[in-house]
């Protein structure tokens, strides 16, 4: 409730996003959240499944549910560290550990932090199914390019991780980095095409093996600048720097660029359910919408990407 900070509210859908409950009871200290909450499904080494919720800035805090979101623990610190949009993404690696990724500009990593000229990407590891997390290690830091909000997608053969990144100085395209050793080491960042330049990339595979990546488009030359979009292409397009098959505007945001930190789910029939906030009605407060689509529907109307 508020722009990036404020009380966390919770709704649940039991019909794959067609309808949603009223606001559900949550722990009292969810009202103290300082940042955008993020949700991830995880499982511990014994097979116990949980949903974990992160709330960022300092200190980064965690809440969890072991009954599919019916009840939740209170937010508790995960360590004496923090960051911005904790966590941007979480990925399970081959040995069963989870890697989580976020960024910071010096203000929130420690209790006495100050803004620096550099933006730093961090990685934290959980070996117990997401309940505890290691002190973060640095992946990349620079003052000439401000990379943040990491979104992870694994290659179809499972051998490589790709990290898609917002560029916050707005002097470069969005970037991508790759890891061939389960996140231990990463390539230097490489700019992506304008069709993928934007914020908070969230990627999921369609049943036919193509990727849909939902994000806020930040190509100033495009009619969809500041809007909620979906890119459709292949992992090979990402690895080879190609523009992809096509780009679709999902919703027209009517106030600046304030929209689209999207959740993306894929149903068993190939339907994508994409859910996020934005200023969808001119002159009104932002609200949350859920969009449903299938790639075969989009294919019938799509023209190839040219940038």
């Amino acid at each position: 409730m508020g722009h990036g900070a404020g009380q966390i509210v919770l709704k649940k859908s039991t019909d794959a996003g067609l309808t949603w409950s009223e606001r559900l009871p949550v722990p009292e200290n969810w009202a103290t959240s300082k940042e955008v909450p993020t949700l991830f499904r995880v499982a511990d080494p014994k097979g116990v499944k949980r949903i974990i919720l992160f709330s960022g800035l300092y200190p980064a805090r965690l809440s969890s549910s072991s009954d599919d979101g019916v009840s939740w623990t209170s937010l508790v610190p995960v360590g004496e560290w923090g960051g911005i949009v904790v966590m941007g993404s979480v990925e399970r690696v081959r040995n069963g550990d989870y890697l989580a990724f976020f960024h910071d500009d010096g203000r929130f990593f420690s209790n006495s932090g100050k803004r620096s000229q550099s933006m730093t990407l961090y990685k934290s590891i959980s070996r117990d199914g997401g309940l505890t997390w290691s002190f973060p290690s640095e992946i990349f830091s620079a003052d000439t390019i401000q990379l943040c909000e990491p979104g992870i997608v694994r290659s179809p053969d499972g051998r490589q991780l790709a990290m898609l990144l917002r560029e916050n100085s707005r002097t470069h395209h969005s970037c991508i980095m790759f890891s061939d050793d389960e996140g231990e080491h990463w390539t230097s960042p490489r700019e992506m095409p304008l069709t993928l330049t934007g914020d908070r990339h969230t990627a999921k595979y369609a049943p036919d093996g193509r990727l849909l990546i939902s994000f806020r488009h930040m190509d100033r030359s495009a009619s969809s600048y500041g809007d909620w979009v979906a890119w459709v292409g292949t992992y090979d397009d990402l690895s080879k720097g190609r523009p992809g098959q096509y780009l679709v505007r999902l919703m027209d945001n009517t106030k600046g660029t304030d929209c689209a930190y999207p959740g993306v789910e894929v149903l068993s029939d190939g339907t994508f359910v994409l859910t996020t906030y934005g200023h969808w009605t001119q002159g009104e407060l932002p609200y949350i919408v859920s969009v449903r689509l299938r790639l075969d529907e989009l294919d019938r109307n799509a023209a190839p990407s040219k940038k």
Side-chain angles (χ1 to χ4, degrees):
M1 297 182 68
H3 185 94
Q7 178 183 348
I8 298 173
V9 296
L10 176 70
K11 291 188 175 187
K12 185 176 180 179
S13 173
T14 57
D15 56 10
L18 290 172
T19 61
W20 292 83
S21 69
E22 297 300 315
R23 292 178 179 175
L24 300 174
V26 297
E28 185 175 339
N29 80 342
W30 279 24
T32 66
S33 178
K34 301 175 183 178
E35 239 248 334
V36 176
T38 55
L39 289 169
F40 302 96
R41 288 191 176 275
V42 292
D44 70 19
K46 296 181 180 180
V48 176
K49 296 180 180 180
R50 293 182 177 89
I51 305 172
I52 55 175
L53 178 148
F54 288 100
S55 176
L57 302 191
Y58 183 91
R61 292 183 292 169
L62 178 74
S63 174
S64 67
S65 172
S66 58
D67 54 14
D68 222 26
V70 175
S71 62
W72 294 83
T73 63
S74 296
L75 285 167
V76 295
V78 295
E80 293 183 5
W81 52 270
I84 302 170
V85 190
V86 175
M87 298 292 184
S89 55
V90 171
E91 179 71 21
R92 197 169 201 175
V93 291
R94 292 194 193 106
N95 67 358
D97 294 348
Y98 285 92
L99 306 183
F101 303 90
F102 67 99
H103 73 277
D104 193 57
D105 60 7
R107 288 178 292 168
F108 307 110
F109 191 72
S110 67
N111 192 28
S112 57
K114 295 181 180 179
R115 185 192 290 270
S116 73
Q117 297 300 310
S118 297
M119 194 79 82
T120 302
L121 299 172
Y122 291 100
K123 174 184 73 176
S124 179
I125 302 172
S126 176
R127 307 190 191 282
D128 59 6
L131 292 179
T132 62
W133 293 87
S134 68
F135 189 83
S137 58
E138 183 179 307
I139 296 174
F140 178 83
S141 186
D143 60 5
T144 55
I145 187 168
Q146 295 189 342
L147 300 182
C148 57
E149 294 182 356
I152 299 292
V153 61
R154 188 177 285 276
S155 62
D157 64 8
R159 296 179 180 178
Q160 187 178 70
L161 298 176
M163 180 186 294
L164 288 77
L165 295 151
R166 166 179 177 166
E167 202 291 303
N168 206 49
S169 73
R170 310 303 184 190
T171 59
H172 301 270
H173 294 193
S174 291
C175 288
I176 193 167
M177 300 163 62
F178 297 93
S179 174
D180 293 320
D181 56 7
E182 297 296 278
E184 284 291 317
H185 304 90
W186 294 86
T187 62
S188 297
R190 185 189 74 202
E191 290 191 60
M192 294 191 290
L194 284 170
T195 49
L196 278 163
T197 290
D199 304 340
R200 195 62 182 94
H201 303 82
T202 306
K204 290 290 179 71
Y205 282 99
D208 66 6
R210 285 183 292 171
L211 275 172
L212 181 145
I213 303 176
S214 181
F215 61 102
R216 171 173 60 204
H217 201 203
M218 295 300 290
D219 171 13
R220 292 184 182 275
S221 67
S223 62
S224 54
Y225 172 73
D227 294 337
W228 181 23
V229 300
W231 175 94
V232 177
T234 65
Y235 189 88
D236 200 47
D237 291 333
L238 295 182
S239 64
K240 293 181 178 172
R242 297 192 296 249
Q245 188 176 355
Y246 51 79
L247 187 71
V248 177
R249 175 165 33 207
L250 299 176
M251 294 283 286
D252 180 13
N253 181 51
T254 65
K255 183 181 178 182
T257 61
D258 186 13
C259 71
Y261 275 45
V264 181
E265 298 295 335
V266 188
L267 308 184
S268 58
D269 67 352
T271 297
F272 283 83
V273 182
L274 306 100
T275 307
T276 196
Y277 85 100
H279 296 262
W280 310 128
T281 304
Q282 186 75 41
E284 293 189 9
L285 292 172
Y287 56 91
I288 296 167
V289 297
S290 195
V291 172
R292 306 170 77 84
L293 59 87
R294 293 169 53 94
L295 293 195
D296 55 1
E297 297 172 331
L298 299 184
D299 291 343
R300 290 193 288 268
N301 297 290
S305 297
K306 295 180 180 180
K307 289 186 179 181

